Amino acid sequence: GVALVPRAARAQGLDDDEQVQAQAQGEEKPHHRTFTLAECLALVDRNHPNNWAARARLGVARGQLDEARYTPWFQWYATAAAGVLPNIAGSVLYTQFSPTAINPSAFAAGYEPFFSFNVTMNFPIYTFGKISAGLDAATANVRYNEWDAEKVRQASRMDVRRAYFGVLYARDAKYLVGEVIKKLDKTIEGISKKLDKGDKDIEEADRFRLQLYRDETLARAADAERGESYGLAALRFLTGVESHFDIPDVPLKKPDTPLAPIVRYLAAARLFRPEVNMARAGLEARKAELALQRARFFPDIGVALSATYSVAPSVVGQNNFFAANNFNFFGYGIALGARWSLDIPTNAARVEQSEGRVEETRALERLALGGIGVEVENAYASALEAHTREAHWDQAEHRARQWMATVES
C-alpha cells in the first residue's frame, strides 16, 4: 500500500493514515510539469547545443558536396567595362584626331560612353578521375558527419539517462533513509526500555551499534540530496526546459529485458557504433583524396566557349580584317583544349602526404574496432556485476530486517 501513496507525503514524515488523508484533500503544490524519460530524450535531441552544432557541421559537409558536384561544370567567367572615350576617327594608315580634344577650354567636348562585355565558359570532357574522386571524397565526408551527429546524439541521450536514473536513485535513497531512521529510532527506543528494565538479553553495545548506524545513515542522506539537485539541474540544461521541470516520482525497478549473449552486442557494436562508421567513412574520404592527388599528374581536357560584345559610338569602326577593332565588335569562339599543371615534384609530395593519411586512418579504424570491443565487454561485465550486487544487497536487506526485529523483540 505504501507504493500507492505520493512520495512527497512520505518525505514529509507522515504516517500512512495522514498520507492518505493528505492525498484525499488534494493539498496545493507548486506546479511542475513532469517529463518522462522518452520526453526527455526527445527534448535533448531537439534542444541540446551539441546536437545543433553537429547538425550545422553536417550542413557544411552537404554544402561541400554540392560544391564538388557543380564546380567542374560551372567554370564560367564574365567581365564588363564602361566609360567615356573621345572622338577617334581615321584609319589604320591615317589617324584623324579632332583639334578640340587638346583645347583646354573644351576638353570634354565630343566624349561619348563605351561599353564592353565578355563571357568565357569551360566544360570538362575528361579529367582522369578528378571529378569522380572529388565527389567520392565529399560524399564520404557527408557520411562521416552524419555518423558524427549520431555520435553526439547518442552521447547526449546517455547523459540524459544518467541524470534521469540518478534522480530516481537519489529519491529512492532519501525515502529509504527516512524508513531506516524510523526503524532505527523505534528499535533504539525499544532497546533503551529493555536496558532500563535490566533485561539481561540486551547489552549497551547493541544500542551504541544502532546509534552508530543511525549517524552513518544520516551522514549519507546529504549525498542523496546533492544527487537529486545535480541530476535535475543537468536534466534542465540537457532538455532546454529551464523552469517548472520535474520527472515522475516512481521507484526504480529492474530492467524488463534480460541480458543477451555478449556476442550479439559485439556484432551490433561493429555494425552500428558511430565511431566505427566514422572511421570507415574517413578511410573512404582519404582514399578518394589520394586518387584525386594522383589524377593531378594528368591534364584536364575540355571545351572552351567565349563571346564578346563591345560598342563605342565615338570610335570609328575599322573595316580592314587585319586591323584591330577593339571598341566596336561582336565575336564568339569554341575550341578544344587542355590544361596541365606542371608542378610534378610538388604534387608528388602531396601524393606522399595523402598516402600517409590513408595509413593513419586505417590505424584509427583498427583502434576503433578494438576499443569498441573492449568497451562492450567492460559494459557487459559491469551489468553482470550490478545484477549480482543487487541480488546480494536485497539479501542483506532482508537479513538486516530480521536482525533488527530480533533485537527489538
Side-chain angles (χ1 to χ4, degrees), residues 81-85 112-116 310-315 327:
V84 293
L85 289 173
E112 295 187 37
F114 78 93
F115 174 77
S116 66
S310 179
V311 58
S314 62
V315 179
F327 298 99

Short mmCIF file of all heavy atoms in Angstrom, two decimals, residues 81-85 112-116 310-315 327:
data_model
loop_
_atom_site.label_atom_id
_atom_site.label_comp_id
_atom_site.label_asym_id
_atom_site.label_seq_id
_atom_site.Cartn_x
_atom_site.Cartn_y
_atom_site.Cartn_z
N ALA A 81 33.08 46.33 -68.78
CA ALA A 81 33.75 47.62 -68.61
C ALA A 81 32.90 48.71 -69.23
O ALA A 81 32.20 48.49 -70.24
CB ALA A 81 35.15 47.59 -69.24
N ALA A 82 32.94 49.90 -68.65
CA ALA A 82 32.18 51.05 -69.16
C ALA A 82 32.96 52.32 -68.86
O ALA A 82 33.72 52.38 -67.89
CB ALA A 82 30.79 51.09 -68.54
N GLY A 83 32.79 53.31 -69.69
CA GLY A 83 33.49 54.57 -69.52
C GLY A 83 33.15 55.55 -70.62
O GLY A 83 32.11 55.40 -71.28
N VAL A 84 34.02 56.54 -70.85
CA VAL A 84 33.83 57.51 -71.93
C VAL A 84 35.11 57.58 -72.76
O VAL A 84 36.22 57.37 -72.25
CB VAL A 84 33.47 58.89 -71.37
CG1 VAL A 84 32.11 58.87 -70.70
CG2 VAL A 84 34.52 59.38 -70.37
N LEU A 85 34.94 57.85 -74.05
CA LEU A 85 36.05 57.98 -74.98
C LEU A 85 35.85 59.24 -75.83
O LEU A 85 34.71 59.60 -76.15
CB LEU A 85 36.16 56.74 -75.89
CG LEU A 85 36.63 55.45 -75.24
CD1 LEU A 85 36.50 54.31 -76.25
CD2 LEU A 85 38.07 55.57 -74.75
N GLU A 112 31.97 60.44 -75.65
CA GLU A 112 30.76 59.61 -75.60
C GLU A 112 31.06 58.32 -74.82
O GLU A 112 32.22 57.91 -74.71
CB GLU A 112 30.30 59.27 -77.03
CG GLU A 112 29.87 60.48 -77.84
CD GLU A 112 29.28 60.05 -79.17
OE1 GLU A 112 28.59 59.00 -79.20
OE2 GLU A 112 29.53 60.76 -80.16
N PRO A 113 30.03 57.69 -74.25
CA PRO A 113 30.26 56.48 -73.44
C PRO A 113 30.60 55.27 -74.32
O PRO A 113 30.29 55.22 -75.51
CB PRO A 113 28.93 56.27 -72.72
CG PRO A 113 27.92 56.91 -73.63
CD PRO A 113 28.61 58.09 -74.25
N PHE A 114 31.24 54.28 -73.69
CA PHE A 114 31.51 53.00 -74.35
C PHE A 114 31.21 51.88 -73.36
O PHE A 114 31.18 52.09 -72.13
CB PHE A 114 32.96 52.91 -74.84
CG PHE A 114 33.94 52.60 -73.73
CD1 PHE A 114 34.33 51.29 -73.46
CD2 PHE A 114 34.47 53.62 -72.95
CE1 PHE A 114 35.22 51.01 -72.45
CE2 PHE A 114 35.37 53.35 -71.94
CZ PHE A 114 35.75 52.04 -71.68
N PHE A 115 30.99 50.67 -73.87
CA PHE A 115 30.66 49.50 -73.04
C PHE A 115 31.18 48.24 -73.72
O PHE A 115 31.10 48.11 -74.95
CB PHE A 115 29.14 49.40 -72.85
CG PHE A 115 28.71 48.15 -72.13
CD1 PHE A 115 28.85 48.05 -70.76
CD2 PHE A 115 28.17 47.07 -72.84
CE1 PHE A 115 28.45 46.89 -70.10
CE2 PHE A 115 27.78 45.92 -72.18
CZ PHE A 115 27.92 45.84 -70.81
N SER A 116 31.71 47.30 -72.89
CA SER A 116 32.16 46.02 -73.41
C SER A 116 31.80 44.92 -72.41
O SER A 116 31.80 45.15 -71.18
CB SER A 116 33.67 46.02 -73.66
OG SER A 116 34.38 46.15 -72.44
N SER A 310 31.34 44.62 -77.71
CA SER A 310 31.85 45.93 -77.33
C SER A 310 31.28 46.98 -78.27
O SER A 310 31.17 46.74 -79.48
CB SER A 310 33.39 45.94 -77.38
OG SER A 310 33.89 47.22 -77.04
N VAL A 311 30.93 48.15 -77.72
CA VAL A 311 30.38 49.22 -78.52
C VAL A 311 30.92 50.55 -77.99
O VAL A 311 30.95 50.77 -76.78
CB VAL A 311 28.83 49.20 -78.50
CG1 VAL A 311 28.30 49.30 -77.07
CG2 VAL A 311 28.27 50.33 -79.37
N ALA A 312 31.40 51.40 -78.91
CA ALA A 312 31.90 52.74 -78.58
C ALA A 312 31.50 53.66 -79.73
O ALA A 312 32.18 53.72 -80.77
CB ALA A 312 33.40 52.73 -78.37
N PRO A 313 30.40 54.43 -79.62
CA PRO A 313 29.94 55.29 -80.73
C PRO A 313 30.93 56.36 -81.16
O PRO A 313 30.93 56.77 -82.32
CB PRO A 313 28.66 55.92 -80.15
CG PRO A 313 28.24 55.00 -79.06
CD PRO A 313 29.49 54.44 -78.48
N SER A 314 31.80 56.77 -80.24
CA SER A 314 32.74 57.84 -80.61
C SER A 314 33.96 57.33 -81.35
O SER A 314 34.81 58.13 -81.76
CB SER A 314 33.18 58.57 -79.33
OG SER A 314 33.85 57.69 -78.46
N VAL A 315 34.09 56.03 -81.55
CA VAL A 315 35.25 55.44 -82.23
C VAL A 315 34.78 54.91 -83.58
O VAL A 315 33.79 54.17 -83.66
CB VAL A 315 35.88 54.33 -81.39
CG1 VAL A 315 37.08 53.72 -82.13
CG2 VAL A 315 36.32 54.86 -80.03
N PHE A 327 36.99 48.32 -80.12
CA PHE A 327 35.93 49.09 -79.48
C PHE A 327 34.54 48.78 -80.01
O PHE A 327 33.57 48.91 -79.29
CB PHE A 327 36.19 50.60 -79.64
CG PHE A 327 37.47 51.04 -78.98
CD1 PHE A 327 38.62 51.21 -79.73
CD2 PHE A 327 37.52 51.28 -77.63
CE1 PHE A 327 39.78 51.62 -79.14
CE2 PHE A 327 38.69 51.68 -77.02
CZ PHE A 327 39.84 51.86 -77.78
#
